[in-house]
Each structure stands twice: as structure tokens, then as C-alpha cells.
Amino acid sequence: MGNRVYTRREFIKTLSVAAATGAAFSSLSSCTKEAREEFLQKRFVEMTDAEKKGVIARLEEKYLRAYGKQFQISTQGARPKTLWGYGLDLSRCIGCRRCVYACVKENNQSRYDPQLQWIRVIRLKKGSLINLEDSEHYYNPQEVPEPGFTYQPVQCQHCENPPCVKVCPVKATWKEPDGIVVVDYNWCIGCRYCMAACPYKGRVFNWADPKLPPEEANTAVHYLGNRPRYRNVVEKCTFCIQRVRSGRYPACVEACPTGSRKFGNLLDENSEIRYIIQHKRVFRMKEDLNTEPKFYYFFAT
Amino acid sequence: MEAWRFFKQTLVLVAKGRPVYYAWCALLLLVMGIGLWFYLKQMETGLIVTSMRDQVSWGLYIANFTYLVGVAAAAVLLVIPAYIYHFDPIKEIVVLGELFAASSIVMALLFVFVDLGRPDRFWHLIPGVGILAFPESLLAWDVIVLNGYLVLNVVVPVYILVNSYYEKEPIQSFVVPLILLSIPWAVGIHTVTAFLYNGLAARPFWNASILAPRFLASAFCSGPSMIIIIFQVIRWVSNIKITNEALFKMAELIAYAMFLNIFLLGAEVFKEFYSNTIHLAPLLYLYEGLHGHTALVPWMWLSLAFNITAFLLFLIPRTRQRLATLNIGAFLIIVGVWIEKGPGFVAPGFIPDPLGEIYEYFPNFTELAISLGIWACGLFVFTLFMKVALPIVRGDFIHSKYTKSISN
Amino acid sequence: MRRILMVSLCAVLVAFCLDLYAKSKQEDFPVPRPPFSEGIFPCSSCHAGMETNAKRRVLKDEHKNIVLKHAAEQRWCLDCHDAQNRDKLRLANGDHVDFEHSYELCGQCHGNIYRDWKAGIHGKRTGYFEGGQRMYMLCVNCHNPHDPAFKPLKPEHPPHRPLQKGPAHGK
């Protein structure tokens, strides 16, 4: 009786040890150096300059393989004395969605399965601007604007008190010194707590591998902005960080056919956005939530 | 080492059993296998294989997680009578309740794991190695308190059981403080989980102070109801002495908790329906439907009916003290609270979404398969725990008997 | 005699400076080329040799496609287009401006809009807001001066529904 027990126990023990060793061995050997480096990568803010260079080089090589194009990944930091602000003229938005697709083109979003759009234009009935419950997201008339309706584009509001930053368990999202709320796509664990916390539905999720046709890829990218992302990480509007830090207007500002979109440095007295706040009646969405968004809606006429 | 020898013995215990034990384990392993297969598909393709989308970004996994954290907290309902009030019928079986709590926590942690988009980056959560955003993020708090509770509920029962195996007295000054610690800790895990939802100003349905009390009230219904049923199964399978008195006492405590739960629901309903602001929308969606979307309405009314019925069954001594009605009540509570705390809590937080869109989330087969796989995993872990613990509690599995059999 | 000469020289200098100052108050904005129809500019290539008929009428021979829907009761073509030099526009006080400065003409009546446009909050700007070339769209880049009302556009496709699969239509 004792012997049989001994043998069976031995057998179970040997089997489990062998299985564990085999699994570990196979996973280690199938791990390339690149995959190991990517796995062990630190959070962007913690990296030294040398580490950042190494990461950029590795990523550029990876994108070259994946898309057949040479990407330029910038890590340009924030300029001093800068706080980016956005203005949106609700009296002029006609809901044409040109901004949505200009953003998609500039920022390398997944086109389908899933389709990611950082800007969502909602249609509201005239006379009821604040009640979003009656909004229509999927309007598709022959022509816009439709009589009796106004249109309000919504994207990440880059709050000064961002609730998404507060709740991230690994600090994968943070507010840069120039006010842009960014995500380190290599640090995000995909828990989607930030998406639950955002009152503006500013954040979207890559539910599968992003489908980005190589011929449509934009190669002028920023590490924290529009570089091609991964499966199961979150992303959102970055105020076109790759453009504004060099002084260029964001893609949506340039795309709008009615000139409803305005952008500038809130700390510069002569900027367009300061002029708007000074001379026009501005409001921000859901101000009672105290998130202090930097996205100002106004009526120019 | 003694511990190692003890462990090797437990492997023997776990490997042998009656045919019903093998059948049960085989069934659980089958369900776990199916769940694992679907999970591998989810890992390969991405979370797009679920029904979750940007509009409803948390679904069945987090619903089950919320429910199970509550169930785990319920072990405290055994600990309090046993150690604070020295209610002897329960004292003998506290260890089993704590192992039950540990299994629940294992399930809860597994549900969080399968919900993560990038589980390969799990190490980012480990403080020191990665970055844990403590104390800003409530999820960071949850990671700490849940793992701490798991450790507590494994260390204490294992310590007590190992000592029973060696027929030694556990050192009271070591074990009693830990047991007493587990009482506020149990309240803590469910409060932190409630705060995780509560702190989100973006979701008016969750941003209510009533959330933490309501969570605790419903937790103290669901967990002990499961324990009532499980203990009867244990009694049937292993002849351990679990008196009916213990079960009836638990049912009485559940009745009080359920009263509180229903009262708090009433308070919520009054506030939303009477004030009639825009924030009524999620509650209206649950009980009446919103703009023609009524998928959850029958479920919520069913859950309410179950809860009230069970409350009455447990309140009235005649029905409480009869096993048949006791079991019906327990079953009604398990299902009723699951509906109320799972889909009936997570989904309306996202419906309508912050921009007013309504996406009616309904879990698909992949999510169901993975969820059932995790439930099977938890039951399997609990079965293995019991396979070792019950012989020890019964006095069959002790060191002196083992050494005797070896020397023969 | 010498004193009179000195005074008149100073007066001329002052007048010149004032004139320069007046001209410099007309700010210059970086604008793209005006959106002329194909081959229509310079207008003087046809109009240089033509007689000017200043009678207010509906044109029958040329420019028949232009139907004025812009204060048509109050004005007609030659109130904005200079009668003598068709390559220029005519301000209310008789001054001439290039087509590149047409915003000054519009700004005469649309003062608030002009003020907003100069500050950059009416209309569109592209390019760099700092450290590079900024481009201000002219009024006429978006508004046809003869029929300025903004025409409705066909909207781009709505977003995919949550569970919708596959590529977008036509893309």
C-alpha cells in the first residue's frame, strides 16, 4: 500500500516539474531580443535619453517592417510657458465630419475592426444644447447642416484636473507640462478604468490589432501621439502633439471647411484662443464636474 | 521540512477519492478547459471577441468580479459570530469559510486578469518593479487589499489546519490577531471595490454615496447564502458535523442584511424618481427601459422578486428553520444578488454613455465560456482545499496516523 | 526765401510720412492666391480696350453666370469693381485695392467679422501659428462674393455602430 502511494506521488511530482521546465524553456527560446526588450521597457517618463533613443530605434525598425515605410518618431518635449487651448465655434460647425477623418488620416487610427475615431460629432436639437441625452451620433442626411439642429464635435478635452489620470493604476496616462494629456502605449495594461472615468467619452480602445493600411500611414509621428498603436491599449486625441510642439496647427483645425476650430497657447496674450476667451462667450462641457477642460466652446456670432 | 512533508501528503489526498469526486473534478476541468480555449482566442485576437465596445467598456468579467469580491467579504459573517461572540456551532467551521473566501478571491482576481487588455504587462502593477499608482488610483488600492485578503485567508486556515494535522495547538497570539484583522479587511475589500466605482464623477449612476453601504449589504447576503448551500454539500459528502443551528443563525443574519439591501434600493429609487433629473436615465433603463431599450428590465424585476421572497423566507422562523425553504431562499439570493450587482450594476453605469448614446451590451458566448471557466476554476480550487481540509477537521488525516501507516 | 523752402520741404516730408503711416495701418496678411475662375484674371486683358457702361443693369453679354445675391437691391457690379481699372477693387471712399486685399472691401460692411478675421477667429488659418508660415484664408476662399451664403455640404460617413464589422463603405 505504502509503495503504490509513493510511486504515484513521485509520478505527479516529476510530471509537473517537467511540464513547468518545458513551458519556461519554450517561451524563453521563442522570445526574440526585440520582444524581450519591448516587454521590459520602462515607462516613458522614467527613461533616460539613451534608453529613449534605443526605444525609438527599435520602434522605427519595427514600423519599417510592418508598414514598409520609414517613420520619424519624435520625442520632442513641451515648450516652456505653454498651455495649449482649443476653441470651437458652435455657431459655425455644420457637422460635416471632415475633422473626424482628417484626424484619422493624420493620427494613424485603426480603420475598421475596430474603427477608432478620436472626434465624435453629435447632433443636438436647437434649444437644448446641454442635454446630451437626446443627441444623435449617427446622423447621415444628404446635406448638412440640417435645419433645427446644431452640431457639437467632442474629443479629449485635455482637462487640467483629468479624472483619467487620477484613476490609472500604472500611471500610463499623465498630463504633460504643456497641458496635453498623453498615453504611453507601451505601458498601458488595458484595464479601461480611464475610459470609465472620462466624462466626455474622449478615450477609445484598440479592441483588436489596429488595421492601418500601409499606404495611408502618416510617417511623421510622436512617441506619445500618433505612432501606430497596439492591440488592447487605449488612445485619444493628443492635440496633434507631433504638430503643435513645432508650431503647426492640428489637423482638425486645418481641415474644417467653416473655420470653426481654433487653437493656440493660453499663456500667450496675443493668441487666437485668448482673444476668443476675452471677447466671445465661452463655456466648457460639464463644468460642474470640475475637470477644468481646455476645450472652449463659443458662439462667434 | 515539516511543511513540505505535509504538502506531499495533501497531493495524495487530492488524487484519490470516490467516483463522484472524480466525476465532479472531470466536469470542472472540462469547463475550465473550454474557458481556457476561448481565453486563448481572446488573447490572440484581442478583446474584440467580446461584446464590449467603447460605449460599454466593462462587461461580464467586471460584473462577476464585483459580485465575487462581495462573496469573499462574506466570510467575515462567519468570523464575527465565531470569534467575537464565541458562537460555538460556527467556530468549528470558520476555517472552511475562510478557504471559501480565498477561492472567491482567486476567482475575482482571475476575472480582473481576463479583463485586462495586456496581461503580459501585468508586472507594471507590482510596486517597486512597475509603478503602482497608490494612493491616487482606487484600482491600485484594490490590487493591494485583494491580494492581502487572499494571503490572510490562505495563511490563517492553512496554519490552523497544519497544526491540527500535527495535533498541535495553533499559537493564539499569532492567529487570533490575524483573524480579527480579517474582519475590517473584509469590509475594506468591498468598500474599496465600491469606491472604485463611486469616485467616478463621469458616471452619475455610480457616483452615489449609497454605493459602499449597498455593496456591503448585498455582499452579506450573497456570500453567506453560498456558504449555507456549500456547507450542506460538505455535510452530505464528508459527514462533518455542521449543525443546522449554525445554518439558521447565518440565515437570520442574511435576513437583516437583505432588509438593508432592499431599503437602500428603495432609497435610491426614491431619490432618482422623485427628483426626476437627467440622472434618472440609468435607473429608468433598468426598471422600465430607455428609448425602447428594455433588455435588462425583466431581469431586474426578477431579481427584485427573488430578493423580497428570500427576505421573507429568511425572516419568518418557520421557513428559515426548514431546510427545504432555507435552500430555496439561499438559491434565490445567490441569483437575485448576482443580477443586481453584476449586469444590473455595471451595464447601467455605461447606459447612456457620457455623450448620450445607448449601446445595449449583452455578453456573447466567448464571455460566457470564459466566465464559466473561471467559476469552474474557483470551484475546483475550493474542492481541492476541501479535499484536504475536511479529513483534517474530521480528525482522519493526522500525522500520527500517517507515521503509523508508514512504519507498518 | 530759404525759410519758405525749408518749411515747405518739412511739410512735404511730414505729408509723406503721414501717408506712409496711413498706408502701413493697412496691415498685410499672408493670404493665398485669390480663387479666380480659370483664365479670368487679369480682367484688363479684356476690359482695357472696352468702353465703360456705368448704367446699372443685368448683364446680358458676358458674366451671365454671375447672379448677384449679395445686397442686390443696394448695389451692383461697379460699386465694388473699379470702373476704370478692372484689375482692382473699389472701396467706398474711392480707394483701390488689389484682389489680394479684398478683405478690406468686405470689411467695410462686415466690420465685426473683419475684426474677428484679423484676430484669426473668423475664417480659417492653416500652416504654422508660430515659427513658420501662417496662411489666412481670404473671405472669398470660403464665401463666393456674389453669392456668399455658405452652401450645405454632404457629410462624411457616420461612425461604425459598436458591433459593426468590416471596412467602411467605399473605402
Side-chain angles (χ1 to χ4, degrees):
Chain A
M1 183 67 133
N3 270 335
R4 262 181 46 205
V5 164
Y6 193 78
T7 319
R8 192 182 301 163
R9 192 178 19 151
E10 253 326 88
F11 177 69
I12 296 173
K13 198 167 68 176
T14 328
L15 193 67
S16 47
V17 167
T21 322
F25 204 66
S26 63
S27 67
L28 268 173
S29 60
S30 67
C31 232
T32 60
K33 180 165 178 285
E34 186 192 329
R36 254 203 317 275
E37 276 179 10
E38 188 162 309
F39 178 70
L40 294 170
Q41 189 178 321
K42 283 203 265 209
R43 187 167 161 254
F44 185 69
V45 177
E46 325 276 326
M47 288 188 213
T48 62
D49 280 336
E51 283 172 329
K52 282 185 191 170
K53 278 205 180 69
V55 166
I56 299 295
R58 175 169 40 84
L59 282 173
E60 284 181 352
E61 204 189 328
K62 184 172 165 171
Y63 292 145
L64 180 60
R65 275 203 315 271
Y67 299 100
K69 286 180 170 176
Q70 182 62 44
F71 276 71
Q72 279 90 37
I73 306 182
S74 152
T75 53
Q76 188 177 13
R79 304 147 127 211
K81 292 212 198 54
T82 306
L83 197 64
W84 300 118
Y86 208 102
L88 199 119
D89 188 351
L90 285 176
S91 65
R92 296 219 153 69
C93 176
I94 55 171
C96 66
R97 295 197 184 106
R98 306 269 191 281
C99 53
V100 175
Y101 290 94
C103 168
V104 166
K105 199 157 153 252
E106 166 76 19
N107 291 300
N108 291 328
Q109 267 103 305
S110 172
R111 301 296 197 260
Y112 61 92
D113 284 344
Q115 183 201 53
L116 263 55
Q117 291 175 347
W118 291 354
I119 302 174
R120 183 153 276 225
V121 185
I122 55 180
R123 186 189 76 181
L124 299 160
K125 276 205 204 71
K126 276 194 175 151
S128 176
L129 280 190
I130 304 290
N131 184 353
L132 299 173
E133 229 201 289
D134 288 327
S135 66
E136 176 55 57
H137 297 222
Y138 301 99
Y139 62 91
N140 193 14
Q142 278 298 106
E143 278 181 346
V144 283
E146 303 159 275
F149 295 103
T150 55
Y151 299 88
Q152 181 172 5
V154 185
Q155 61 210 66
C156 169
Q157 310 271 293
H158 294 282
C159 308
E160 273 299 281
N161 271 346
C164 56
V165 169
K166 197 161 54 170
V167 299
C168 178
V170 289
K171 295 204 177 128
T173 185
W174 66 89
K175 194 177 63 169
E176 286 269 295
D178 56 356
I180 305 182
V181 178
V182 296
V183 179
D184 182 352
Y185 309 114
N186 281 73
W187 194 254
C188 172
I189 59 172
C191 71
R192 310 186 298 292
Y193 196 11
C194 57
M195 289 173 72
C198 176
Y200 307 104
K201 201 183 163 285
R203 303 175 81 107
V204 291
F205 195 69
N206 286 285
W207 296 97
D209 284 312
K211 316 282 183 303
L212 173 63
E215 63 272 10
E216 295 183 36
N218 172 16
T219 55
V221 299
H222 191 286
Y223 180 86
L224 294 170
N226 61 336
R227 65 179 170 109
R229 273 79 62 192
Y230 307 101
R231 169 168 25 136
N232 291 352
V233 295
V234 87
E235 60 180 54
K236 62 188 198 55
C237 163
T238 57
F239 272 176
C240 274
I241 195 174
Q242 69 279 2
R243 285 177 164 229
V244 305
R245 284 185 171 173
S246 325
R248 272 180 84 191
Y249 283 112
C252 49
V253 172
E254 292 200 327
C256 177
T258 58
S260 307
R261 288 172 168 270
K262 303 292 161 202
F263 186 81
N265 179 1
L266 287 165
L267 300 179
D268 173 10
E269 294 165 333
N270 301 321
S271 65
E272 289 148 26
I273 185 69
R274 281 289 288 267
Y275 186 97
I276 291 169
I277 296 175
Q278 186 102 1
H279 296 278
K280 303 294 173 192
R281 300 290 174 261
V282 300
F283 74 94
R284 293 170 297 175
M285 274 181 87
K286 306 199 191 192
E287 280 193 74
D288 54 316
L289 297 182
N290 206 21
T291 49
E292 298 290 327
K294 295 198 287 292
F295 202 97
Y296 292 86
Y297 292 94
F298 64 101
F299 298 87
T301 32
Chain B
M1 233 188 351
E2 281 185 13
W4 177 238
R5 259 189 290 156
F6 170 74
F7 180 67
K8 287 195 287 188
Q9 293 293 293
T10 62
L11 288 180
V12 176
L13 268 180
V14 155
K16 286 201 294 188
R18 299 195 304 212
V20 68
Y21 170 72
Y22 288 130
W24 173 242
C25 285
L27 174 67
L28 290 178
L29 284 168
L30 176 68
V31 177
M32 281 162 69
I34 295 175
L36 183 66
W37 189 77
F38 276 95
Y39 180 64
L40 289 173
K41 263 198 25 199
Q42 181 183 289
M43 280 307 313
E44 193 188 309
T45 315
L47 284 164
I48 205 170
V49 301
T50 67
S51 292
M52 296 187 278
R53 292 292 181 267
D54 293 333
Q55 289 80 354
V56 180
S57 47
W58 277 343
L60 190 63
Y61 301 147
I62 298 293
N64 275 308
F65 160 76
T66 314
Y67 182 68
L68 285 164
V69 173
V71 163
V76 83
L77 215 63
L78 287 182
V79 171
I80 292 179
Y83 282 87
I84 309 268
Y85 293 102
H86 303 291
F87 186 68
D88 278 328
I90 288 187
K91 191 149 186 183
E92 284 126 26
I93 48 176
V94 167
V95 156
L96 306 178
E98 286 176 329
L99 287 172
F100 169 75
S103 316
S104 293
I105 290 284
V106 165
M107 281 197 271
L109 291 173
L110 278 175
F111 270 114
V112 170
F113 191 77
V114 299
D115 186 65
L116 280 184
R118 303 295 305 227
D120 56 318
R121 297 183 187 168
F122 186 68
W123 65 271
H124 293 183
L125 280 167
I126 303 174
V129 179
I131 296 173
L132 191 65
F134 184 88
E136 297 93 1
S137 167
L138 265 300
L139 257 185
W141 280 78
D142 229 359
V143 165
I144 293 174
V145 298
L146 286 179
N147 284 297
Y149 193 66
L150 178 63
V151 164
L152 261 181
N153 278 298
V154 167
V155 161
V156 168
V158 166
Y159 176 77
I160 292 179
L161 287 172
V162 170
N163 275 292
S164 299
Y165 171 76
Y166 284 108
E167 291 167 294
K168 284 197 278 197
E169 263 304 303
I171 302 173
Q172 293 295 308
S173 60
F174 170 67
V175 84
V176 171
L178 284 181
I179 293 177
L180 292 178
L181 177 64
S182 74
I183 300 174
W185 201 294
V187 172
I189 60 170
H190 217 27
T191 308
V192 167
T193 306
F195 280 179
L196 151 53
Y197 294 104
N198 201 352
L200 303 181
R203 310 281 168 183
F205 183 67
W206 293 340
N207 191 217
S209 323
I210 211 175
L211 225 65
R214 186 125 189 255
F215 264 36
L216 286 168
S218 56
F220 292 158
C221 299
S222 54
S225 302
M226 277 196 186
I227 291 180
I228 286 180
I229 296 197
I230 283 178
F231 277 5
Q232 287 175 69
V233 170
I234 287 176
R235 196 165 62 180
W236 170 65
V237 159
S238 70
N239 297 315
I240 290 243
K241 190 174 80 106
I242 300 175
T243 59
N244 279 349
E245 211 186 353
L247 300 178
F248 298 156
K249 189 51 145 193
M250 282 176 57
E252 193 186 330
L253 296 172
I254 293 173
Y256 303 145
M258 181 47 88
F259 169 73
L260 197 60
N261 190 27
I262 296 177
F263 176 75
L264 291 174
L265 171 65
E268 266 190 300
V269 164
F270 169 76
K271 179 241 181 186
E272 294 298 355
F273 278 92
Y274 189 80
S275 317
N276 201 10
T277 67
I278 202 177
H279 298 317
L280 170 61
L283 204 63
L284 197 65
Y285 170 69
L286 283 181
Y287 288 100
E288 206 176 282
L290 196 62
H291 298 310
H293 293 99
T294 55
L296 278 182
V297 173
W299 292 79
M300 293 312 294
W301 285 104
L302 193 71
S303 153
L304 189 63
F306 278 9
N307 284 347
I308 293 180
T309 311
F311 166 64
L312 293 169
L313 285 177
F314 279 9
L315 186 69
I316 302 170
R318 259 205 303 168
T319 44
R320 180 173 75 234
Q321 285 162 1
R322 191 189 306 172
L323 280 181
T325 44
L326 178 77
N327 287 329
I328 291 175
F331 180 72
L332 289 180
I333 287 190
I334 292 173
V335 174
V337 174
W338 186 86
I339 295 174
E340 183 184 58
K341 215 156 159 188
F345 175 73
V346 171
F350 294 100
I351 296 168
D353 84 348
L355 297 181
E357 183 180 353
I358 296 177
Y359 163 52
E360 232 180 349
Y361 163 82
F362 220 76
N364 64 5
F365 190 72
T366 304
E367 290 171 278
L368 273 168
I370 296 177
S371 303
L372 286 172
I374 295 178
W375 275 94
C377 186
L379 284 170
F380 186 66
V381 165
F382 184 65
T383 308
L384 293 182
F385 273 143
M386 290 298 104
K387 197 72 173 55
V388 174
L390 293 178
I392 296 179
V393 171
R394 226 178 18 226
D396 288 341
F397 180 54
I398 42 181
H399 190 68
S400 50
K401 282 193 185 161
Y402 168 67
T403 47
K404 230 187 273 180
S405 71
I406 287 290
S407 58
N408 279 353
Chain C
M1 188 59 187
R2 235 175 46 158
R3 208 176 289 169
I4 298 171
L5 258 169
M6 284 291 287
V7 169
S8 26
L9 199 64
C10 287
V12 167
L13 259 165
V14 168
F16 184 64
C17 289
L18 275 172
D19 188 46
L20 255 177
Y21 173 65
K23 283 223 169 60
S24 75
K25 271 210 338 158
Q26 299 156 8
E27 291 162 80
D28 238 355
F29 299 96
V31 295
R33 191 172 176 280
F36 291 118
S37 318
E38 182 90 24
I40 204 96
F41 192 80
C43 315
S44 51
S45 53
C46 288
H47 283 275
M50 275 194 222
E51 258 186 48
T52 310
N53 180 353
K55 184 162 181 286
R56 194 177 154 159
R57 64 195 186 282
V58 173
L59 297 174
K60 290 227 177 21
D61 297 316
E62 277 299 326
H63 301 307
K64 284 193 295 246
N65 53 329
I66 298 178
V67 180
L68 194 60
K69 284 199 195 133
H70 191 186
E73 299 289 306
Q74 288 81 20
R75 301 174 312 177
W76 81 303
C77 320
L78 294 181
D79 286 317
C80 292
H81 290 273
D82 188 62
Q84 265 61 58
N85 178 0
R86 295 304 160 80
D87 287 339
K88 298 266 184 203
L89 294 166
R90 184 182 163 277
L91 297 181
N93 63 357
D95 281 352
H96 297 164
V97 288
D98 287 326
F99 279 94
E100 280 78 9
H101 292 89
S102 52
Y103 47 84
E104 289 185 46
L105 172 59
C106 311
Q108 290 178 120
C109 292
H110 301 282
N112 317 12
I113 303 285
Y114 184 41
R115 195 169 56 217
D116 281 352
W117 180 86
K118 281 195 286 189
I121 62 168
H122 182 100
K124 189 161 136 165
R125 293 186 177 182
T126 55
Y128 284 75
F129 53 88
E130 261 176 48
Q133 171 67 313
R134 170 167 25 193
M135 199 62 91
Y136 287 47
M137 294 290 117
L138 285 167
C139 318
V140 299
N141 280 120
C142 297
H143 301 279
N144 182 336
H146 309 125
D147 185 4
F150 216 95
K151 303 292 169 289
L153 294 173
K154 183 165 190 338
E156 301 271 0
H157 293 295
H160 280 184
R161 298 271 175 178
L163 294 172
Q164 188 173 337
K165 284 210 238 280
H169 12 223
K171 290 208 166 100

